[in-house]
Amino acid sequence: MSNQAVRPVFPFTAIVGQEEMKLALILNVIDPRIGGVMIMGDRGTGKSTTIRAIADLLPEIEVVKDDPFNSHYSDSELMSDNVKKSLMSQITLETAFIKVPMVDLPLGATEDRVCGTIDIEKALTEGVKSFEPGLLAKANRGILYVDEVNLLDDHLVDILLDSAASGWNTVEREGISIRHPARFVLVGSGNPEEGELRPQLLDRFGMHAEIRTVKEPELRVQIVEQRSDFDMNPAACLLKYQDKQEELKNKIRNAQEMLPKVAIDYEYRVKISQVCSELDVDGLRGDIVTNRAAKALAAYEGKSNVSEEHIQKVVTLCLRHRLRKDPLESIDSGDKVLKVFKKIFD
């Protein structure tokens, strides 16, 4: 496909404001094990534009050529069974570089469309396991975006969260089972007016970003003008932001490489758990995610040790959606989290 045929994507570095959402997306891209982002906010605040922009910005990934699961050529956690068999038989596999997959999950999607289907007839008549991959297969090693996630069937949200957490998707039918890697960054967005997700589903998203409509007239004008410039001449706009895009791409790539070397002091780990305990956060997911997010932020800033500032920047994003006990309460804006953070860390 020629470059002209590819629809241009608004550059991530040109997006004004919405710092919470941008930071949450960048950190999840650096460490997908954070567990995804739930973005809640008003309509028309650039949620889907920002998510497409981060996917477009990411460095290309190396995959096994013509593999429907975007299998990694050497990491067994990210490769399909067929690729594993080929490697065990010492067959040389061709690889190719592709853009990070960005998969949109339509609201009316069925379970078969999401998970994939097994051809039972073929299995019974020919004894062959025939599998038609679904959206989870396409999203492996990429981003899976669900707009209006709060309107999606709870059962489907459960499937998405299970795959995102385990990194695998298992399809079973009539005693036949197939599993394949499905490690992706799950990004959900929604409008709070249309209802919240159930607390037990919400808790399974790593981070929760809130976005608001920009109020300052000057900023609003800047956003509108940038969008108009892009729509009228995408090539000129992309050229204008090319250096910034490259810089951010390198920063993310360096952070991904540096992440395993980042350390967080025991004292800070204890304090994070104290914050979670004082806020009465259920389970240990809040502790784990805050630790991971703080490490990802340190790596993003090129630091090998997590500082108090790193924890402060991520703690609200990681904990605000875990506080609710009463389903009728709305999500805390983060004041409560920061108050407890300051009390324990000061």
Side-chain angles (χ1 to χ4, degrees):
M1 203 190 291
S2 73
N3 280 343
Q4 281 73 29
V6 179
R7 197 163 145 220
V9 176
F10 192 77
F12 188 80
T13 48
I15 293 164
V16 177
Q18 312 301 14
E19 300 307 323
E20 262 202 12
M21 166 167 63
K22 291 195 288 196
L23 180 65
L25 288 169
I26 286 171
L27 297 184
N28 269 277
V29 158
I30 291 168
D31 184 2
R33 295 176 313 144
I34 287 170
V37 195
M38 179 70 195
I39 299 165
M40 282 305 238
D42 309 326
R43 285 185 205 87
T45 43
K47 296 189 283 279
S48 38
T49 300
T50 309
I51 293 149
R52 283 186 180 82
I54 188 94
D56 186 63
L57 174 84
L58 296 176
E60 290 191 336
I61 54 170
E62 192 172 2
V63 299
V64 174
K65 204 172 178 185
D66 301 327
D67 178 80
F69 309 102
N70 309 319
S71 288
H72 196 285
Y73 60 96
S74 63
D75 184 345
S76 62
E77 285 294 300
L78 296 171
M79 61 173 72
S80 65
D81 290 344
N82 287 346
V83 170
K84 278 182 196 164
K85 279 178 196 154
S86 301
L87 286 175
M88 284 167 83
S89 311
Q90 296 185 324
I91 296 168
T92 308
L93 295 168
E94 251 191 283
T95 62
F97 280 90
I98 62 162
K99 284 192 83 63
V100 166
M102 156 85 189
V103 176
D104 264 308
L105 186 105
L107 252 189
T110 60
E111 189 177 333
D112 282 353
R113 175 91 176 88
V114 173
C115 300
T117 49
I118 296 170
D119 188 335
I120 293 297
E121 205 177 316
K122 209 169 185 181
L124 296 175
T125 54
E126 299 172 35
V128 181
K129 270 191 188 181
S130 175
F131 180 63
E132 180 64 42
L135 294 174
L136 293 180
K138 281 198 177 110
N140 187 36
R141 301 176 67 202
I143 294 172
L144 181 65
Y145 174 46
V146 191
D147 192 12
E148 311 282 6
V149 68
N150 42 343
L151 302 181
L152 198 65
D153 179 56
D154 278 355
H155 172 59
L156 271 184
V157 179
D158 252 338
I159 290 170
L160 296 178
L161 289 161
D162 280 341
S163 297
S166 67
W168 291 90
N169 172 41
T170 306
V171 183
E172 286 175 351
R173 201 165 154 224
E174 315 289 341
I176 297 168
S177 174
I178 283 177
R179 81 175 201 143
H180 67 78
R183 185 169 298 175
F184 48 83
V185 175
L186 179 62
V187 181
S189 70
N191 182 347
E193 288 169 15
E194 282 150 4
E196 296 280 7
L197 267 186
R198 285 190 296 126
Q200 54 270 51
L201 291 175
L202 198 53
D203 170 62
R204 294 183 55 188
F205 276 90
M207 300 174 107
H208 184 287
E210 275 189 357
I211 49 176
R212 296 267 169 268
T213 304
V214 175
K215 294 280 185 275
E216 298 83 23
E218 288 85 0
L219 265 186
R220 289 173 79 116
V221 170
Q222 191 187 339
I223 294 166
V224 171
E225 282 177 353
Q226 273 183 332
R227 187 72 229 190
S228 306
D229 289 349
F230 177 77
D231 290 340
M232 283 174 67
N233 192 343
C237 183
L238 290 171
L239 192 64
K240 183 179 167 186
Y241 286 94
Q242 193 177 358
D243 291 349
K244 279 187 177 175
Q245 291 280 97
E246 251 342 284
E247 195 183 314
L248 185 54
K249 196 183 279 190
N250 289 332
K251 209 174 165 186
I252 289 171
R253 194 186 284 122
N254 294 340
Q256 287 169 335
E257 284 168 15
M258 189 173 180
L259 187 64
K261 305 182 193 88
V262 176
I264 178 164
D265 289 350
Y266 177 70
E267 177 200 349
Y268 284 156
R269 295 203 298 272
V270 170
K271 282 185 172 180
I272 287 170
S273 290
Q274 265 180 287
V275 172
C276 293
S277 175
E278 183 128 346
L279 287 166
D280 205 13
V281 170
D282 287 337
L284 294 172
R285 202 175 271 125
D287 311 46
I288 293 165
V289 169
T290 308
N291 276 280
R292 282 181 181 157
K295 281 183 167 184
L297 180 58
Y300 180 60
E301 292 182 358
K303 305 282 194 305
S304 54
N305 279 298
V306 170
S307 70
E308 192 177 311
E309 285 73 32
H310 293 140
I311 300 166
Q312 186 170 349
K313 267 188 197 169
V314 301
V315 73
T316 304
L317 286 164
C318 298
L319 299 181
R320 66 147 67 97
H321 54 303
R322 305 177 199 278
L323 307 188
R324 267 192 320 171
K325 295 290 176 276
D326 176 358
L328 298 174
E329 268 181 59
S330 65
I331 288 184
D332 180 77
S333 63
D335 299 342
K336 194 173 172 186
V337 177
L338 275 181
K339 203 185 280 177
V340 172
F341 170 86
K342 284 186 172 140
K343 178 179 143 189
I344 284 166
F345 273 78
D346 293 348

